[in-house]
Amino acid sequence: MFTGIIQAIGEVADLQQRGGDVRLRVLTGKLDLSDVELGDSIAVNGVCLTAVDLPGDGFVADVSRETLSLTSLGQLGSGSKVNLEKALTLATRLGGHLVSGHVDGLGKVVERHDDARSVRFSIEAPTELARYIAHKGSITVDGTSLTVNAVDGCRFELNIVPHTLQETIMGGYGVGSKVNLEVDLVARYLERLLLGDKAAEPGAGSIDMDLLARTGFLKG
């Protein structure tokens, strides 16, 4: 688990193709690795990866074909900047929100404009994720815990302050940038709870108007 508070900006040093998947080496910069051991988790642009080697200036992780297909990690190259966060401990301040490091889908930046010293981004999410994104709710973008300022269909808006622009890779986003999205865990569990016993039935996966009516959320 993670908090969505980015601890450092790292840099991809190398990507090696290995039998269809990739071995990734990341230079971690100011990230303190003194308490990291082999097998520990580190989030790279919001993707939970396992450290399989610790060469001293960073870490090495294997990235599966599934992860490459579902996230933006497959688009990285040598020199790419990445957001980094070590897994939380019981002593960690929960300054963001609970983040699993399991990306739900890829979003796309569709608009960027300055707003005083902040920058406003409009991001388009996959259709199947839209129902989990709420005004003033939490969302994780490339591992960064953020508050949704507005929602319009599949698009949501973010207001990013100067500190976040400086301490994450968001300052480098432009129109067309692909970003990893993880929706709020509570929203996902709530959906399954509302399904009740139907959650065990094959094909049960989402809430529809009939379910809301039967469970008393809609009045006739």
Side-chain angles (χ1 to χ4, degrees):
M1 299 294 292
F2 306 89
T3 68
I5 303 300
I6 302 304
Q7 296 170 324
I9 295 177
E11 180 179 323
V12 174
D14 188 33
L15 293 98
Q16 297 179 1
Q17 298 291 331
R18 295 203 170 188
D21 55 27
V22 168
R23 175 155 287 192
L24 174 70
R25 184 164 71 91
V26 179
L27 304 177
T28 51
K30 70 176 184 180
L31 187 68
D32 180 13
L33 297 179
S34 62
D35 59 347
V36 175
E37 299 179 354
L38 292 180
D40 283 355
S41 297
I42 299 176
V44 178
N45 282 358
V47 182
C48 178
L49 298 179
T50 300
V52 298
D53 192 14
L54 296 166
D57 57 354
F59 70 97
V60 176
D62 289 321
V63 186
S64 69
R65 285 192 294 179
E66 180 175 6
T67 300
L68 291 170
S69 67
L70 295 177
T71 74
S72 66
L73 295 191
Q75 303 171 22
L76 298 177
S78 180
S80 294
K81 303 298 184 182
V82 291
N83 289 329
L84 299 176
E85 183 190 354
K86 296 184 292 186
L88 64 83
T89 70
L90 293 179
T92 303
R93 290 179 182 271
L94 191 58
H97 70 285
L98 288 176
V99 174
S100 69
H102 301 154
V103 171
D104 293 304
L106 278 174
K108 181 174 70 173
V109 176
V110 293
E111 186 178 346
R112 170 181 176 153
H113 67 268
D114 294 336
D115 185 1
R117 294 187 304 118
S118 296
V119 174
R120 285 189 175 268
F121 292 97
S122 180
I123 296 177
E124 186 171 271
T127 301
E128 63 272 18
L129 296 184
R131 64 178 178 268
Y132 303 113
I133 303 172
H135 179 228
K136 296 304 179 184
S138 295
I139 193 163
T140 308
V141 178
D142 276 343
T144 307
S145 172
L146 299 166
T147 299
V148 176
N149 290 94
V151 180
D152 183 10
C154 291
R155 296 186 177 187
F156 63 94
E157 190 173 292
L158 304 168
N159 182 79
I160 308 302
V161 298
H163 177 80
T164 304
L165 291 169
Q166 179 179 336
E167 298 297 325
T168 74
I169 64 171
M170 295 194 75
Y173 289 172
V175 173
S177 294
K178 297 293 183 64
V179 294
N180 294 321
L181 301 179
E182 181 184 330
V183 298
D184 189 29
L185 285 172
V186 175
R188 281 208 171 276
Y189 282 115
L190 179 60
E191 181 178 52
R192 293 293 287 177
L193 286 169
L194 285 173
L195 287 171
D197 292 340
K198 284 193 169 294
E201 299 178 6
S206 62
I207 298 171
D208 55 23
M209 298 301 289
D210 179 63
L211 175 66
L212 291 174
R214 285 188 287 104
T215 51
F217 285 90
L218 295 178
K219 295 184 179 179

